[in-house]
Amino acid sequence: MANQSSSCPILCASFNQDNSGFAISTKDGFKIFDSNTGRLCYERSFGAFIIVEMLYSSSLLAIVGAGEQPSLSPRRLCLFNTATGAPLRELPFLTSILAVRLNRKRHLIERRTVIPLLSTFHRRLLVVLQENTYIYDSNSLAMLDTIDTVPNLKGLCAFSPSLDGCFLALPASTTKGAVLVYNVMELQSHCEIDAHRSPLAAIALSSNGTYIATASEQGTIIRVHLVSEATKSYSFRRGTYPSTIFSLSFAPSLQLPDILAATSSSGSVHIFSLGFDTNQRSKKSISFPGLILPDYVNHALDPAHRHVLHNAVSAGVRSYAVVRKVDKAADSPEFATCRAVVSLIAYNGYFQEYAFSINNQNESSWSLEREFNLLTLVSDGAETS
């Protein structure tokens, strides 16, 4: 996620596919951290970068320069090996690179040998430009497909790292909040979803590729759609007044993503509960002035499904939050107690980690577990180059 403002020292921040690590960049270089311990694992100081993307916890990074020096062009993608401290391959483009995503698909091959099971990986590399998105096999860098898109000035995209539901989401309109969902493994369009009346500001896919969350430039309503059927499952009200949504992130659930986190220009972190069973609710309609909603959507708009941490960061400071872990202790699925770990990067240079919990009365609590300055942290064990 690149910083659109020059007032904050962090230029971009990103978590890896399973949120076990994260990267930040500044005008001087980039750093890689372990999410669980906060340890600085690797740093490189040789200029400004606007994109630093990890591939899980491997030594492979995809990096794009900020253009402040000729060797770090925003039109050149570099696949970088942190183990050797050297570039592996480079890809030049005609226009600036706005976003990059990495993934891998694993095939297990059974062998009747001493080693009974070998794994091979077929990775996907996605490069988002203003009007095109390119899909590569990142092992060979062979181009697999090109997607012509509407002008995507912010480089909005979402990518699910699932082995089975590997989807890419891109804006499908510049005048309304429409989303194109593309099947990356089958290399074909999956569906188009009309999510909002206003243009999109944020998109997120659940880790299993089941759900997609969207927010418009208004920032008051966040909607969640079922990808397989392109149907709306939840609508959540973030607030009454417009706000810029900086990030959306699903909990790392293997089945239903129980919670969705959002950060915005208000400085607050919102958690929305997806745990209630919509199938058990009646489908009668509830009327509002100028609006008719199904009963289960109406319940999602109820404040009971929204939990807010106010003033997590200063208003206007860009932030990025992910739900790293979720634990549930339940007497029955309907009355589960949910405990989650929420990690937040503020672009003013700070990392925060919160313990968030919801009890069976739907009462929530937040506890700040860790906070440290990402810009000054030094680790004796970190690799540098």
Side-chain angles (χ1 to χ4, degrees):
M1 179 182 295
N3 188 7
Q4 304 296 324
S5 170
S6 60
S7 61
C8 289
I10 292 182
L11 301 180
C12 75
S14 64
F15 284 84
N16 65 359
Q17 290 82 356
D18 58 9
N19 296 331
S20 62
F22 63 92
I24 65 165
S25 74
T26 66
K27 64 181 178 61
D28 299 317
F30 61 82
K31 298 181 178 183
I32 307 296
F33 295 85
D34 184 303
S35 298
N36 296 307
T37 63
R39 183 176 71 91
L40 174 61
C41 303
Y42 183 88
E43 60 180 326
R44 178 89 177 191
S45 299
F46 64 108
F49 291 84
I50 53 171
I51 294 174
V52 181
E53 288 287 329
M54 303 172 66
L55 178 64
Y56 292 89
S57 297
S58 73
S59 60
L60 179 66
L61 297 178
I63 57 178
V64 178
E68 295 184 358
Q69 49 188 288
S71 61
L72 299 178
S73 169
R75 297 185 298 276
R76 183 185 301 117
L77 170 65
C78 174
L79 297 180
F80 186 84
N81 188 342
T82 60
T84 62
L88 293 172
R89 298 283 296 274
E90 291 187 345
L91 283 174
F93 295 89
L94 295 177
T95 61
S96 295
I97 301 166
L98 302 178
V100 175
R101 295 292 183 268
L102 288 162
N103 202 7
R104 65 188 180 192
K105 182 178 181 181
R106 179 167 59 183
H107 299 278
L108 298 178
I109 305 173
E110 189 173 348
R111 287 286 189 88
R112 303 293 183 181
T113 60
V114 176
I115 303 175
L117 206 62
L118 295 178
S119 299
T120 61
F121 297 92
H122 295 279
R123 303 190 190 110
R124 292 292 185 260
L125 168 67
L126 311 182
V127 182
V128 180
L129 308 184
Q130 182 171 316
E131 295 185 349
N132 305 97
T133 294
Y134 297 97
I135 302 176
Y136 294 88
D137 180 319
S138 60
N139 291 320
S140 64
L141 289 189
M143 186 187 296
L144 302 176
D145 201 4
T146 301
I147 306 171
D148 295 327
T149 64
V150 299
N152 185 6
L153 301 180
K154 299 177 182 177
L156 288 179
C157 67
F159 190 37
S160 58
S162 170
L163 302 182
D164 300 316
C166 189
F167 294 106
L168 168 68
L170 296 162
S173 173
T174 58
T175 59
K176 63 179 181 178
V179 189
L180 169 68
V181 180
Y182 186 89
N183 190 314
V184 174
M185 290 303 169
E186 296 180 3
L187 299 177
Q188 63 182 12
S189 176
H190 176 73
C191 67
E192 186 172 316
I193 298 171
D194 288 327
H196 304 270
R197 294 179 180 177
S198 301
L200 294 172
I203 321 171
L205 281 158
S206 61
S207 59
N208 55 13
T210 301
Y211 284 93
I212 182 170
T214 58
S216 74
E217 292 178 350
Q218 291 294 316
T220 54
I221 300 292
I222 294 170
R223 294 196 167 96
V224 178
H225 286 74
L226 185 65
V227 172
S228 61
E229 301 176 7
T231 54
K232 184 166 62 179
S233 298
Y234 303 92
S235 288
F236 298 109
R237 180 171 292 282
R238 183 210 57 82
T240 305
Y241 298 102
S243 184
T244 301
I245 302 297
F246 289 144
S247 71
L248 294 171
S249 173
F250 284 103
S253 174
L254 295 178
Q255 298 178 359
L256 178 71
D258 298 309
I259 56 178
L260 173 68
T263 63
S264 70
S265 57
S266 68
S268 300
V269 180
H270 286 72
I271 294 290
F272 303 99
S273 172
L274 281 71
F276 63 91
D277 187 358
T278 62
N279 293 325
Q280 299 300 319
R281 299 188 183 276
S282 65
K283 299 298 188 283
K284 66 181 180 179
S285 294
I286 304 295
S287 296
F288 291 88
L291 183 64
I292 298 178
L293 295 173
D295 180 54
Y296 66 94
V297 174
N298 176 49
H299 278 78
L301 286 169
D302 190 288
H305 298 286
R306 182 187 65 183
H307 308 273
V308 187
L309 173 65
H310 294 286
N311 303 316
V313 298
S314 299
V317 173
R318 179 172 287 274
S319 58
Y320 181 19
V322 299
V323 183
R324 290 204 300 111
K325 299 177 184 177
V326 177
D327 296 315
K328 294 181 71 173
D331 296 324
S332 68
E334 272 190 293
F335 301 102
T337 299
C338 172
R339 292 182 292 271
V341 176
V342 180
S343 296
L344 181 144
I345 299 172
Y347 279 59
N348 59 5
Y350 285 87
F351 175 89
Q352 300 173 353
E353 184 170 281
Y354 292 91
F356 169 78
S357 63
I358 308 173
N359 64 19
N360 56 9
Q361 301 299 315
N362 202 41
E363 299 167 333
S364 63
S365 64
W366 298 79
S367 173
L368 180 62
E369 302 294 306
R370 289 190 292 164
E371 182 177 24
F372 54 87
N373 191 323
L374 295 168
L375 305 177
T376 60
L377 185 66
V378 176
S379 173
D380 294 335
E383 299 179 40
T384 60
S385 56

